[in-house]
């Protein structure tokens, strides 16, 4: 999978950028730990060298496995451009056309008039 379309240069990947200094500062506030700018920078620098992505990898693996476990046919998520859908759309269209013709026989259009507007509404034909 190419990171971007070589013809258009449009990126098709999701990127995440993490500002460790800002993250340390925000998490310190969340944990109600007051720290100086120097302390936050020291912790961010330490994390830059020691941070592992084990938890994130585990979460991604879990989402992938859950997706394939819960979707019987995950291949339907891949688009198949140019393929035909068979007779189903045509059959549905013909069925709807027959229903419209049947409705035309059961209803007649009547005009409701007002000084500001006129509207046509269907009224059932009494049998």
């Amino acid at each position: 999978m190419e990171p971007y379309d070589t013809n258009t240069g449009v990126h098709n990947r999701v990127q995440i950028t993490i500002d460790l200094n800002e993250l340390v500062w925000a998490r310190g506030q969340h944990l109600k730990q007051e720290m100086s700018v120097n302390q936050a920078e020291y912790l961010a620098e330490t994390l830059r060298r020691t941070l592992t992505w084990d938890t994130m990898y585990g979460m991604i693996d879990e989402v992938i496995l859950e997706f394939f476990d819960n979707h019987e046919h995950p291949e339907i998520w891949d688009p198949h451009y140019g393929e035909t859908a068979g007779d189903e759309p045509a059959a549905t269209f013909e069925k709807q056309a027959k229903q419209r013709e049947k409705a035309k026989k059961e209803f007649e259009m009547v005009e409701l008039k007002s000084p500001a507007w006129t509207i046509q509404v269907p009224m059932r034909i009494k049998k």
Side-chain angles (χ1 to χ4, degrees):
M1 173 189 280
E2 291 290 325
Y4 60 90
D5 184 344
T6 55
N7 296 325
T8 62
V10 176
H11 290 263
N12 61 359
R13 295 192 180 211
V14 177
Q15 294 181 341
I16 298 173
T17 304
I18 299 172
D19 182 339
L20 285 176
N21 291 34
E22 188 175 325
L23 183 59
V24 166
W25 189 263
R27 295 305 297 169
Q29 287 180 334
H30 174 74
L31 296 171
K32 297 181 178 29
Q33 298 294 319
E34 302 230 357
M35 65 180 81
S36 69
V37 173
N38 288 338
Q39 289 171 328
E41 287 179 357
Y42 171 78
L43 292 171
E45 179 60 28
T46 302
L47 285 168
R48 184 185 66 80
R49 286 183 271 112
T50 61
L51 187 65
T52 64
W53 302 104
D54 296 340
T55 304
M56 187 170 66
Y57 290 153
M59 290 171 62
I60 293 170
D61 293 350
E62 185 178 328
V63 167
I64 291 169
L65 293 172
E66 188 175 300
F67 173 81
F68 283 95
D69 286 344
N70 292 333
H71 291 85
E72 189 172 323
H73 300 286
E75 66 275 2
I76 64 170
W77 290 78
D78 296 329
H80 300 280
Y81 299 112
E83 291 183 3
T84 59
D87 294 336
E88 184 57 34
T92 302
F93 180 77
E94 290 172 6
K95 181 179 176 183
Q96 291 172 346
K98 288 178 184 177
Q99 289 173 343
R100 283 191 299 272
E101 287 299 318
K102 182 180 175 187
K104 285 182 182 179
K105 293 176 184 174
E106 295 178 11
F107 296 90
E108 65 178 326
M109 297 304 285
V110 178
E111 281 190 0
L112 298 178
K113 294 184 180 183
S114 169
W117 50 264
T118 301
I119 185 171
Q120 287 188 337
V121 295
M123 187 172 86
R124 188 175 297 276
I125 299 172
K126 294 182 181 178
K127 291 186 180 182

